[in-house]
């Protein structure tokens, strides 16, 4: 796992737990690598390295370096997984599939409309995931509406109607699902969080540290359900393991349900 910062990452814990169940003599570590050092570090990798997990701020650099990219990587412009095979680097975005899978696990499987809070790179993955779940109308809540222009364009390419609302202008409306992509600890101005929470639907907050986030606290105060992103973390890691092992990204591993259970258990206490 490469990124900067990286010490907080729980990925080594869940990957190692999965490898132990599978009986693989593999290692998975983490290394602090910034954008400036990415090319040097990639060029220095030796033959035993099967692949890489990438987090902030390396996903765009990994996208640019990949020789091939899967559909979700092409749509989002972000690669969080690189696999070495056949003398090439193959890039994947497993965040999209991981988020969609965990939203389904929360009982949300058939969407017409949904809301995304935030307009950064994670919001791009969320938009594609919601489209894969069937959503065709998406409201983006963004402090800087102009930052969401790329999301509007991507939505149009995917056959989705995407609108953008400033936090100060949000209105109470019944919404089955709201996905928050705000950084941990970030809060919306004024009473925007309370207004959003009054929609009573599920809040899926991709943050998994510092729980509850300000937005999740607003949901809890309103008596509405809110979950963190630990399930997404596990599900995207499962998809990384699939491609590291030579499976297709959507091809389940043998006894995958058991592997997922062990990976979740490895996170107990965090």
């Amino acid at each position: 796992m490469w990124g900067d910062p990286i010490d907080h990452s729980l990925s080594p814990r869940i990957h190692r737990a999965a490898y132990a169940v599978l009986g693989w003599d593999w290692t998975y570590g983490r290394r602090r690598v910034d954008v400036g050092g990415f090319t040097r570090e990639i060029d220095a990798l030796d033959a035993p390295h099967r692949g890489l997990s990438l987090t902030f701020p390396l996903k765009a650099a990994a996208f640019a370096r990949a020789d091939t990219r899967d559909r979700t990587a092409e749509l989002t412009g972000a690669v969080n997984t690189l696999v070495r095979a056949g003398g090439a680097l193959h890039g994947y975005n497993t965040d999209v599939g991981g988020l969609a899978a965990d939203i389904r696990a929360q009982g949300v499987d058939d969407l017409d409309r949904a809301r995304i809070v935030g307009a950064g790179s994670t919001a791009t993955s969320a938009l594609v995931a919601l489209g894969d779940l069937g959503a065709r109308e998406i409201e983006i809540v963004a402090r800087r509406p102009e930052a969401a222009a790329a999301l509007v364009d991507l939505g149009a390419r995917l056959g989705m109607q995407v609108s953008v609302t400033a936090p100060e202008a949000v209105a109470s409306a019944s919404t089955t699902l709201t996905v928050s992509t705000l950084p941990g600890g970030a809060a919306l101005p004024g009473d925007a969080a309370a207004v959003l929470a009054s929609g009573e639907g599920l809040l899926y907050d991709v943050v998994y540290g510092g729980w509850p986030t300000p937005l999740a606290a607003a949901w809890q105060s309103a008596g509405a359900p809110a979950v963190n992103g630990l399930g997404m973390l596990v599900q995207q890691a499962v998809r990384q393991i699939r491609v590291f092992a030579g499976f297709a990204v959507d091809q389940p591993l043998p006894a995958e349900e058991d592997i997922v259970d062990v990976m979740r258990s490895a996170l107990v206490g965090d």
Side-chain angles (χ1 to χ4, degrees), residues 24 46 105 110 143 154 170-171 190 201 240 259 266:
W24 296 347
D46 53 14
D110 187 15
R143 297 189 188 203
L154 176 58
V170 295
Q240 290 183 327
I259 295 167

Side-chain angles (χ1 to χ4, degrees), residues 13-24 241 253 259 262-263:
R13 185 183 303 183
I14 58 178
H15 273 264
R16 291 168 185 165
Y19 300 166
V21 172
L22 290 162
W24 296 347
I241 294 169
L253 297 164
I259 295 167
V262 168
M263 295 169 77

Side-chain angles (χ1 to χ4, degrees), residues 43-97:
D43 290 342
L45 287 180
D46 53 14
H49 288 87
R50 181 177 296 266
L52 290 169
S53 302
L54 295 311
T55 188
F56 178 86
L58 302 178
K59 294 179 183 181
F63 177 90
R65 185 59 186 265
D67 298 300
T68 69
R69 309 176 189 94
D70 73 345
R71 166 185 170 270
T72 53
E74 290 287 2
L75 286 172
T76 60
V79 160
N80 75 328
T81 311
L82 285 172
V83 179
R84 298 175 64 174
L89 283 172
H90 305 281
Y92 303 83
N93 181 329
T94 67
D95 288 333
V96 172

Side-chain angles (χ1 to χ4, degrees), residues 9-33:
S9 175
L10 299 177
S11 291
R13 185 183 303 183
I14 58 178
H15 273 264
R16 291 168 185 165
Y19 300 166
V21 172
L22 290 162
W24 296 347
D25 185 22
W26 288 9
T27 60
Y28 185 103
R30 56 189 175 194
R31 182 184 303 175
R32 183 178 178 182
V33 177

